[in-house]
Structure formats: structure tokens, C-alpha cells
Amino acid sequence: ETVIQVKNVKKIYRMGTEKIFAVDDVSFDILKGEFCCLLGTSGSGKSTLLNLMAGIEKLSAGQIIIKGKKIHRMNESSLARFRQRYLGFVFQSYNLINSMTALENVEFPLVFKRVKAKKRKSMAKDVLTKVGLENRMAHKPKEMSGGQQQRVGIARAFVAKPEIVFADEPTGNLDTKTTMEVMGLIRNIAKENNQTIVMVTHDKRLAEFADKIIHILDGKIQNIEIRRDVSKSENEVLE
Ligand code: ADP
Ligand code: ADP
């Protein structure tokens, strides 16, 4: 089952008289439950592509279809509702709210979904336990290490069980050991719930966690590497 279709997408930035083809006629599909990595060096256009897929930037040409909806045609309020309902985000810089505890940060997305306080707390506790922070729930971001903060960020991205999670260099500020732990967590939580992950990175070692690697260079797809066929393994499970 295809959840994301990117069709002949272009993003052109104009700098005076110069045109920058940040994304240059890119097409690919992402399947349900797939962990997809956009891999490329700095300036290759990965972040721009992710921002287009998340509806944060407007495309110059082409189509982006998520769950059958043309997201490039949506207005801001429909897009906001769509994000809230189906999408989760993990950022490189964590983006936690400093005045809130780990528990409150993780509960936050559920407030918008109108989940009741008691249920919110129990859902947030569950996911914080899953990421190994059962003893840090009352701590504020400043009282935690980078790795712990990012695990809070992951818990927050996954707490509402969004169908799709976008991650931009999610381990960019972490050491190697913590990076591998955090990547393992993201992969395991997503697989458990058959969630789709789209991750941007320049780091080949992180791409190893993915089912599909889309190699990007100068705004174009160099090649698409399928490391594990998600559609096939689904059939195997059914048989
Ligand atoms: P990556 O995420 O792979 O490092 P980016 O998507 O950030 O690459 O950038 C791709 C290209 O587009 C780069 O050449 C960058 O300088 C350019 N670019 C990105 N955002 C803008 C912008 N807002 N205005 C002009 N050029 C931009
Ligand atoms: P990343 O670390 O994700 O590759 P960058 O640090 O290259 O991103 O850029 C951060 C943000 O700044 C990008 O999301 C992009 O929108 C913007 N940006 C990048 N290059 C340019 C540029 N040449 N002119 C204007 N904005 C840019």
C-alpha cells in the first residue's frame, strides 16, 4: 500500500537572476510501514524535499499525494488538521518546551487531539517508558542529556501514533553510541505500529536502519536502494 507519492516534484529558489534547482524533477513512492531514508550530502536538497512533503514549503511543480490527498492543493487550515491527524515530527534540535517536564512535553500533542487528562498522562507515561525514561518524567529538558532530550522528542512524535513520522537529522547532535540507540528506538516503535518513517540524513550509517534508501545528489535522485521489501514481508505475515 502506497502512502506517499512524490511525482515530478521541483522546487526552484530564485536568488536575484539566478535559479537554484533545490529539488529537480524527483519521483518516488513510500509504502505503508516503510522506513525510508533520504540520503545525500549537505546542499543536495533533502531538507527541502522533506519540507515539501510536510507541506511546510510550497512546490514549484509536480504533485505530492499523501494518503490519497494532494497536499500541495490544501489550504493552511486543512493542512494543519491533516498534520495533526496523520503526521509526527522529530527535529534535530529537539524543539522541546523548556518550561515543561518530559511528561508534559509528551502529553502536549494529545491536548490538541482533545484526549482527556487522565488518558493523556497514561499514554505519555507508556511511551516514555518505552524509550527508557520512566525515571525522568518529572525532569525538564535542561536537566537531561542530549540523548535523553531526543528520546523525549521521539516519545512526543510517536505518542499520538501518527501514521507517518518525518525526521530531519534526528540524531545530528548526538554521539555515536546514543545515535545508534535512538535510531534503534525509532525503528522499533515504528515497526511495532506499522508506522511509516521518512528520515533525512547525510550519514550512511543511519541509512542502514532504513528499508529503502533514496540517494539524492544536486536535487536529483541518483538511485533508489530497496534493502527490505516491506510489501512482500506483509504478504508473508498474512500467509
Ligand atoms: P540539504 O538538506 O540536502 O542540506 P537543502 O534542501 O537545505 O539541502 O538545500 C538544497 C539547496 O537549496 C541548497 O543549494 C540550498 O542552498 C538551497 N536552498 C535551500 N533553501 C533555500 C532558500 N530558502 N532560499 C534559497 N536557496 C535555498
Ligand atoms: P540542513 O542542516 O537541514 O541541511 P541548512 O543548515 O543547510 O539545513 O539550512 C537550514 C535552513 O535554511 C533550510 O531549511 C533552508 O530553508 C534554509 N536555507 C538553506 N540554504 C539557504 C540559502 N542559500 N538561502 C536561504 N535559505 C537557505
Side-chain angles (χ1 to χ4, degrees):
E1 187 191 343
T2 302
V3 281
I4 302 176
Q5 291 172 274
V6 174
K7 290 187 182 175
N8 304 106
V9 165
K10 290 187 189 182
K11 178 67 183 184
I12 303 163
Y13 291 111
R14 279 168 220 280
M15 305 280 279
T17 55
E18 201 197 339
K19 281 184 185 174
I20 297 166
F21 290 78
V23 177
D24 193 2
D25 200 10
V26 162
S27 302
F28 58 87
D29 288 344
I30 300 178
L31 304 176
K32 182 160 178 62
E34 194 166 46
F35 187 153
C36 177
C37 175
L38 306 174
L39 179 65
T41 52
S42 176
S44 57
K46 319 177 288 294
S47 297
T48 303
L49 191 49
L50 195 79
N51 290 342
L52 292 169
M53 292 164 80
I56 293 163
E57 295 224 42
K58 297 284 163 234
L59 42 75
S60 307
Q63 295 195 317
I64 296 178
I65 301 166
I66 303 184
K67 291 180 64 63
K69 296 255 166 26
K70 291 178 178 167
I71 61 136
H72 55 286
R73 293 276 182 84
M74 284 187 195
N75 61 30
E76 271 313 313
S77 66
S78 325
L79 206 49
R81 245 179 293 132
F82 188 83
R83 281 199 200 98
Q84 217 180 83
R85 190 142 171 218
Y86 299 115
L87 309 182
F89 293 90
V90 181
F91 307 94
Q92 177 174 359
S93 52
Y94 322 137
N95 289 17
L96 301 176
I97 299 169
N98 286 320
S99 59
M100 289 186 180
T101 64
L103 187 67
E104 287 162 351
N105 266 286
V106 175
E107 276 185 53
F108 204 51
L110 300 173
V111 175
F112 295 103
K113 298 197 101 172
R114 294 160 201 236
V115 178
K116 294 215 176 69
K118 207 170 164 187
K119 173 97 178 158
R120 248 178 11 229
K121 200 164 254 178
S122 86
M123 286 171 80
K125 277 184 177 170
D126 279 352
V127 65
L128 277 164
T129 303
K130 207 170 275 180
V131 301
L133 291 177
E134 59 272 48
N135 298 321
R136 293 286 184 280
M137 297 202 206
H139 290 237
K140 292 188 175 163
K142 285 204 183 84
E143 301 158 351
M144 289 185 280
S145 69
Q148 289 170 338
Q149 289 183 54
Q150 190 55 301
R151 283 188 275 160
V152 176
I154 290 165
R156 181 188 53 190
F158 282 93
V159 70
K161 295 201 165 63
E163 286 187 39
I164 303 163
V165 175
F166 290 111
D168 193 348
E169 301 278 7
T171 58
N173 294 320
L174 306 176
D175 61 53
T176 304
K177 180 169 172 280
T178 312
T179 291
M180 295 304 153
E181 285 168 9
V182 163
M183 286 308 305
L185 268 177
I186 292 179
R187 192 185 155 89
N188 289 344
I189 296 176
K191 287 295 169 198
E192 203 173 291
N193 298 307
N194 201 26
Q195 286 158 299
T196 306
I197 307 269
V198 187
M199 178 181 77
V200 157
T201 186
H202 67 276
D203 189 340
K204 287 199 181 79
R205 294 169 313 161
L206 302 195
E208 307 265 307
F209 286 86
D211 302 315
K212 181 188 276 175
I213 305 173
I214 299 178
H215 296 264
I216 299 180
L217 183 67
D218 293 335
K220 295 189 177 73
I221 293 182
Q222 267 185 309
N223 101 73
I224 298 179
E225 185 186 339
I226 295 170
R227 304 179 76 249
R228 186 173 160 277
D229 191 336
V230 171
S231 62
K232 257 197 191 133
S233 64
E234 261 173 8
N235 293 339
E236 279 164 19
V237 172
L238 290 176
E239 279 160 15

